[in-house]
Amino acid sequence: MYLTLRGSYICCDCTNLREPALITPPMMELTKGIYKIQGLNVLDICKEFGTPLYVYDTDKISEQIQNLKNAFSDNDVRIKYAAKALTNISILKHIHSQGCGIDVVSINEAKLAMKAGFEPKEIMFTPSCVDFEEIIEGVELGVFINLDNLSVLEKFGKKYGSTYPCCIRLNPHILAGGNYKISTGHGNSKFGISVFQMPQILEIVGKYKIDINGLHIHTGSEISETDVYLKMSEILFGVARDFPSLKFIDFGSGFKVAYRENDNVTNIYDLGLKLGKAFKEFYESYGKKLELWVEPGKYLVSESGYLFVNTNVVKSTPSVTFAGVNSGLNHLIRPMMYDAYHEIVNVSNPDGGLKMYTVVGNICETDTLGSDRKLNEVREGDILAIKNAGAYGYSMASTFNSRLRPAEVMIKKGKAHLIRQRDTMEDLIRGQVIVD
Ligand SMILES: *Cc1c(COP(=O)(O)O)cnc(C)c1O
């Protein structure tokens, strides 16, 4: 028996009574005509730090972490935040303070994580197609290593034998996820070692007596069906018996969050219940208790983030009214790259009449942030908030068109903190070698 955050007792056999944790009011709220985050007027934040501006609400991140912990509370769950979604060190520190580990995809992300206070043993390094030197560097740092290629496994075995444990990333040949570009577990994906290559894996592992301490599958982003994870887990459990020294199984991520109202999302509680149960059954027959790892990126940080932009121009043509803003695909590439939908709100004019707009950026290229959106009347100078900007926003930002990347602000305990300065002209010039 344990106490849920809502105060009702539930027993282990009827855990389907679980409900999502509600530890904070949800994110940006409109009260008395003012949009606020943690009680702070968002227009004041924009005035203080300028726009375009990324703003992150740490309460939302904490809430998502708590949701995951509750959902998987029947298992020894380890949350390894996928750093590539948002790598600001202050955010990493916050996530670390909430009891999470971290998944990194480059040696530089590993170093950022260590700068944020993560111990090497809390870091999982899951690289794809990197130079073997980078893996050696990972071993030297002392982080967990996740290998996804037979030739790399062979090199690893030759160099380390049984002296340094590693994890194997498998490709389960499942096509799932929101978009082909973000699907990583299908047969034609570059990720993971195909489950059909198990004989070769076992041969290499046997030859060098490699200590395999974990198995991993990550099938891509935005998977809403619990069944996909269950199917994936069956594949993992099927092969796991061939590896006697496992300590964990890593189910990756792909947990989907709502980008618009009524989006179907990953039901974390349903997943925790069903996957948790299957996992328990598996490790009981395997013979020892294993840790259950997950690697959420988007799930932890997407909804915590907002990109605030200023409306430079309102431009009406005979067919469309554009709101042209001081940002674009250089700062948030998801709409153009993945056809992603990001909700947009006019935070300067909450009482304005609703009109139709296409919100576009200032990049010289088709640069649409949102088409045909019903917004409260947009006037030049109005601030718009682009939602769900926490994941793959700043971390994919560029200086295309020689425009500067935005500043980042973290709201924590009701206070706004600058956590990254806006780029300056010097940043554009730094590193250039000027030759006549
Ligand atoms: C990107 C990535 C994730 C996170 O995916 P999300 O959809 O953001 O949760 C997890 N694991 C690995 C290995 C990744 O590359």
Side-chain angles (χ1 to χ4, degrees), residues 319-320 341 355-359 368 370-375:
S319 53
V320 189
Y341 181 96
K355 291 189 175 169
M356 207 63 126
Y357 297 91
T358 287
V359 179
T368 306
S371 312
D372 304 326
R373 302 298 179 85
K374 235 183 217 162
L375 305 179

Side-chain angles (χ1 to χ4, degrees), residues 27 29 35-42 411 414:
M27 319 180 276
E29 280 193 309
Y35 279 98
K36 292 182 177 174
I37 300 174
Q38 290 188 25
L40 301 178
N41 182 336
V42 300
I411 303 186

